[in-house]
Amino acid sequence: MLKTGRSDKHAGRLILAGIILVTVIAFSGVLQSGFTDWDDDTLLTENPDVRVLSFENIQKIFTSTYVQTYIPLTVFSFAVEHALVGYKAWVYHFNNLLLHLGVVVLLYATGRALGLRILAAGLGALLFAVHPMHVESVAWITERKDVLYAFFYLGALYGYLKYLPTGCRRKYFLAVFLGLLSILAKSMALSLPLILFVLDWMQERKFSRWTFLDKLPFFLYVVPIAGITYAIHSRIPEVSVSQAVLTWIWSLTFYIRKFFWPVALKPLYGYATPVSLSHPEYQIALALFVLIAISLWLGRRHRWYIFAWLYYFLSIFFLLRFDHARDLGIVADRFMYLPSAGFCLWFGYCAERLFIKTRLSLWLRGASVLLAGILFTGLSVMTYRQVGIWKNKAMLWERLSEHFPDKAVAYNNQGIAFYEQGDFERALDLYNRSLAIDPHRARVYVNRGNVYALQQAHAKALKDYAAAIQLNPDRKEAYLNRAGVYRSLGRAGAAMADLNRSLKLDPGFVKAYQARAMLNFDRQEYRAASADYTWLIEKLPASDFLYTQRGLCYRALRQFGKAQMDFTRALKVNPTNVLALMNRGNLYGMQGRLEPALKDLNAAIALSKDNGLLYNDRGVIYGMRGDYARAIADYDKALSLNPHYAPTYYARSLAYRAMHETEKALTDARKARALGLEGLDAYIDTLKQ
């Protein structure tokens, strides 16, 4: 028995290793994928709550909803990742894939705990692992909530199954705790206590008072937590009873059709109209529904078949729709992620039973292995291709534009994706196509104006921004971006007026404050600029850029103490901030603190070896130390990088003069004057004497 147990464990590990390898290959494309503008921006890239991992932000995460859902653990996971790696997209994708692999392993373990043999559990886990319908949940960063809730959900199921035969309280409370984490990741975990009843039935547990009591803790947290999300989305169907029933049947059978025939998978599905039996879609749905009902009746004695359907229905029934009001898509691949687990385990059970029945025939065994190989190879290839849809915004919107009901919006969003990739011509073409369909969209004029602005086509850009403002006088981005064009044209007054208008429309508009601060700095209005940077720092305290910019304002105002503090704060946030190192080093030099000055400038040069200003500034510090040879070496390097920078010639002239090399000093002084440095006549006359 001991040998058999060890052999089973070894075989199980080998099977899991193979499943993991196949899954990683099928999903390998996610590691080259980026962020999308489909909720990735709202939840992560533009979400201020994840940018700083502070007690205040964590408290806000756990007391707020995002994209109309209560998913605090998911958002918290983004905040932790951001604190560790910033916005490196591959890390978020890698963690999604890791969680998916964890779900696969837990599904295998759950299948084993339910009594499946190693082969059956392995085949079920493999089907779940590489099914193309699951790509959306893994390859879309936003759907972290799917893989995260599923991981804890299956962990809770496994813990509960281990608790049942022994009554071990530790395993029971582990299941309760993991269930809590699951519902905090996504409200679809609402089904957990219902599935626990299904597990009781599968394990032939006698139903008693305790059968209901041990589900009570799950209900106590599942219902109120899930209620936060479902209260937002609950509504009375705005259709007739017959339409409501048909829509519900269609959505129920939609997932079955896509799971068993996963072709033409899309990020967005429409619904068939009219909603009536005159439409083939609803005829097919009703026929399939009847067939399912008949099959359940005929298969009522087959425990695994009934289990698969109970698991599916109890996991998804609250997402089955009666109407399509308010929503762009009433069904989605991601909703089938965990509800498909029962079908996967049932498949494994059936496949293994078939293999056992054919094991006496070498030919049949070979044929069954070949068929399994073809099936899983085909699914893996489909999954690999499906991953490509989520590679970036452009790929996603290219696919979405094929099915998106509002083509003008689809072309605009696709244009934004190409704009962000730097493909301005394709972006311009898509904006033009969008405006050709609907010439009354202010946002598209703003976006096209941005392309013209980058192409230095200022007149066209100003015309588009004006059109956007005429269509929507409250479009704050139009004023902001027009201000940028005015700034490029040297029309500072017009730029300032537009920035003030945008801030009047939105007093919390961060980008407008940044633009106004930079414009004030250009105009040498350093107090006004520093005030704007102070407001920005209160909103974005983790920005080394803002501390550096305010430090430059304080330096211009000769408030050197405040400037030095800001440069130090910037370096605390980002020790590789070259501009902060350079300016703090120069301030140390002004104070006569030459060693700290050299330390900062050495660090800056190590980070930016081709920056001539850094060598110039370090040369000045060496000169202050009397180390003229090193100073001249730095000036030589600075001039090799920037041969037209007059102050370096003057600084080298001073060093040569200190070394009594008057001719070289005179040559450099004349070169500095020729390059436009003023006030050198008296100095040059002195050198001539």
Side-chain angles (χ1 to χ4, degrees):
M1 290 294 291
L2 185 59
K3 279 189 175 181
T4 303
R6 287 179 177 174
S7 177
D8 283 353
K9 284 185 179 179
H10 182 66
R13 287 169 184 163
L14 284 177
I15 286 174
L16 280 176
I19 292 170
I20 289 170
L21 177 61
V22 172
T23 308
V24 169
I25 293 171
F27 282 94
S28 58
V30 300
L31 300 180
Q32 285 81 48
S33 298
F35 298 109
T36 73
D37 54 357
W38 227 21
D39 290 346
D40 285 356
D41 48 358
T42 306
L43 286 178
L44 179 56
T45 58
E46 295 180 13
N47 184 358
D49 298 342
V50 306
R51 290 177 183 163
V52 181
L53 192 61
S54 64
F55 176 77
E56 291 77 14
N57 274 5
I58 293 172
Q59 187 178 38
K60 187 176 179 183
I61 286 169
F62 278 85
T63 55
S64 303
T65 59
Y66 299 86
V67 290
Q68 296 185 305
T69 53
Y70 184 64
I71 47 172
L73 195 62
T74 298
V75 179
F76 176 69
S77 74
F78 290 148
V80 172
E81 285 165 311
H82 181 268
L84 294 173
V85 301
Y87 288 121
K88 293 180 180 177
W90 75 267
V91 175
Y92 297 87
H93 284 293
F94 177 74
N95 289 334
N96 270 19
L97 180 55
L98 275 184
L99 284 166
H100 177 59
L101 293 173
V103 172
V104 170
V105 171
L106 284 170
L107 182 61
Y108 170 85
T110 301
R112 293 285 288 143
L114 281 168
L116 289 179
R117 293 189 177 97
I118 291 174
L119 179 60
L123 288 171
L126 180 58
L127 177 62
F128 183 93
V130 299
H131 199 289
M133 205 173 183
H134 297 160
V135 168
E136 187 171 297
S137 296
V138 182
W140 184 9
I141 290 175
T142 286
E143 284 311 304
R144 164 70 55 80
K145 51 184 180 282
D146 265 352
V147 288
L148 190 60
Y149 107 86
F151 179 78
F152 292 122
Y153 190 106
L154 285 175
L157 294 188
Y158 181 71
Y160 184 79
L161 285 169
K162 289 297 183 181
Y163 146 75
L164 282 180
T166 63
C168 176
R169 290 185 178 181
R170 182 172 59 85
K171 292 173 182 175
Y172 172 75
F173 286 115
L174 176 63
V176 172
F177 176 66
L178 292 175
L180 176 61
L181 294 180
S182 183
I183 195 70
L184 290 173
K186 189 175 183 179
S187 55
M188 275 189 75
L190 169 67
S191 64
L192 179 59
L194 303 178
I195 298 301
L196 296 181
F197 280 117
V198 177
L199 297 187
D200 289 338
W201 171 75
M202 278 294 287
Q203 298 296 81
E204 299 183 357
R205 182 187 186 189
K206 290 184 178 179
F207 280 81
S208 64
R209 195 172 104 183
W210 182 246
T211 309
F212 292 91
L213 286 176
D214 64 10
K215 311 300 184 299
L216 186 59
F218 295 92
F219 279 112
L220 286 176
Y221 62 69
V222 159
V223 173
I225 293 176
I228 297 171
T229 295
Y230 288 102
I232 297 172
H233 294 276
S234 63
R235 62 177 181 268
I236 298 172
E238 301 171 4
V239 294
S240 67
V241 174
S242 62
Q243 288 178 321
V245 171
L246 281 176
T247 302
W248 187 89
I249 290 173
W250 178 81
S251 59
L252 173 75
T253 57
F254 169 86
Y255 296 108
I256 303 303
R257 291 159 60 187
K258 287 297 180 183
F259 180 77
F260 287 100
W261 190 247
V263 296
L265 299 177
K266 308 169 189 174
L268 181 69
Y269 297 97
Y271 58 92
T273 55
V275 182
S276 81
L277 281 175
S278 64
H279 198 291
E281 270 290 309
Y282 298 102
Q283 294 170 7
I284 294 170
L286 184 59
L288 183 56
F289 181 75
V290 171
L291 287 174
I292 291 169
I294 293 171
S295 74
L296 286 170
W297 172 255
L298 295 176
R300 63 189 182 278
R301 298 183 187 277
H302 298 274
R303 187 170 289 268
W304 272 102
Y305 185 63
I306 299 301
F307 166 79
W309 282 101
L310 284 173
Y311 189 97
Y312 165 67
F313 182 74
L314 294 176
S315 298
I316 208 168
F317 75 92
F318 40 82
L319 290 176
L320 302 179
R321 300 293 299 276
F322 290 97
D323 68 350
H324 51 77
R326 300 187 197 172
D327 292 322
L328 199 57
I330 66 173
V331 290
D333 290 351
R334 62 187 179 275
F335 296 154
M336 191 56 171
Y337 183 68
L338 195 53
S340 68
F343 289 123
C344 292
L345 293 178
W346 172 64
F347 165 82
Y349 169 80
C350 293
E352 191 245 2
R353 295 279 293 179
L354 180 64
F355 188 77
I356 289 173
K357 285 185 178 181
T358 60
R359 66 183 176 182
L360 296 177
S361 169
L362 185 62
W363 183 88
L364 288 174
R365 287 179 67 183
S368 62
V369 170
L370 178 62
L371 285 173
I374 293 171
L375 171 66
F376 287 114
T377 300
L379 290 174
S380 298
V381 170
M382 291 170 70
T383 289
Y384 184 84
R385 290 176 176 173
Q386 190 73 9
V387 165
I389 294 173
W390 299 91
K391 185 174 183 179
N392 52 45
K393 298 176 186 179
M395 292 289 289
L396 177 61
W397 279 104
E398 185 175 353
R399 184 61 180 269
L400 280 169
S401 64
E402 299 171 10
H403 312 285
F404 206 77
D406 190 334
K407 295 295 184 185
V409 172
Y411 289 140
N412 176 63
N413 290 341
Q414 197 178 352
I416 292 171
F418 283 114
Y419 174 85
E420 291 177 355
Q421 289 182 11
D423 192 341
F424 303 127
E425 290 304 321
R426 289 186 72 178
L428 191 61
D429 175 62
L430 286 159
Y431 294 144
N432 288 336
R433 290 166 71 181
S434 177
L435 289 170
I437 296 170
D438 184 354
H440 303 293
R441 293 183 183 267
R443 183 187 181 194
V444 186
Y445 281 106
V446 172
N447 292 337
R448 191 173 70 175
N450 295 342
V451 175
Y452 286 140
L454 281 173
Q455 294 177 336
Q456 304 296 308
H458 295 136
K460 289 182 177 180
L462 291 174
K463 183 179 179 181
D464 270 357
Y465 294 140
I469 291 168
Q470 185 176 3
L471 287 167
N472 182 4
D474 295 335
R475 193 84 198 179
K476 61 184 181 181
E477 296 86 0
Y479 294 107
L480 169 69
N481 297 341
R482 189 170 68 175
V485 175
Y486 283 144
R487 183 185 175 201
S488 299
L489 294 172
R491 297 172 60 183
M496 184 61 69
D498 269 358
L499 290 171
N500 288 334
R501 284 192 197 105
S502 68
L503 285 168
K504 188 175 181 180
L505 290 168
D506 181 3
F509 193 13
V510 169
K511 290 181 180 179
Y513 272 105
Q514 290 174 328
R516 192 172 71 176
M518 290 188 286
L519 182 60
N520 276 322
F521 192 90
D522 291 346
R523 300 171 74 186
Q524 298 183 7
E525 298 286 345
Y526 300 120
R527 292 190 188 280
S530 65
D532 279 347
Y533 282 125
T534 297
W535 184 92
L536 287 163
I537 286 169
E538 290 176 0
K539 300 295 180 184
L540 303 169
S543 172
D544 60 304
F545 171 80
L546 295 176
Y547 283 117
T548 303
Q549 294 304 114
R550 189 174 68 175
L552 293 173
C553 292
Y554 286 142
R555 179 173 179 175
L557 291 167
R558 305 190 65 77
Q559 297 179 18
F560 300 126
K562 288 184 176 181
Q564 184 177 311
M565 286 177 63
D566 268 356
F567 296 138
T568 300
R569 288 179 184 134
L571 291 166
K572 187 175 181 181
V573 175
N574 178 14
T576 64
N577 185 321
V578 172
L579 189 58
L581 283 167
M582 180 177 73
N583 279 279
R584 190 175 71 172
N586 290 338
L587 287 176
Y588 284 146
M590 291 168 61
Q591 297 166 5
R593 300 172 61 188
L594 304 184
E595 293 309 315
L598 281 175
K599 183 178 179 181
D600 275 358
L601 291 168
N602 286 336
I605 288 171
L607 293 165
S608 182
K609 292 183 172 61
D610 296 327
N611 188 331
L613 289 176
L614 293 173
Y615 291 101
N616 176 83
D617 293 350
R618 190 174 68 175
V620 172
I621 302 300
Y622 280 134
M624 293 173 70
R625 277 203 333 184
D627 193 345
Y628 300 116
R630 285 187 176 181
I632 289 171
D634 269 356
Y635 295 142
D636 290 344
K637 179 67 175 179
L639 289 170
S640 71
L641 294 168
N642 186 0
H644 304 292
Y645 189 59
T648 303
Y649 284 104
Y650 176 58
R652 191 171 67 175
S653 173
L654 293 174
Y656 280 134
R657 183 187 183 191
M659 296 178 71
H660 307 293
E661 296 188 38
T662 307
E663 286 302 316
K664 290 182 178 179
L666 182 59
T667 300
D668 274 354
R670 285 170 172 165
K671 181 68 173 178
R673 183 171 64 180
L675 287 171
L677 192 63
E678 298 178 353
L680 295 182
D681 292 343
Y683 172 67
I684 290 172
D685 289 342
T686 302
L687 290 173
K688 288 178 180 179
Q689 295 174 2

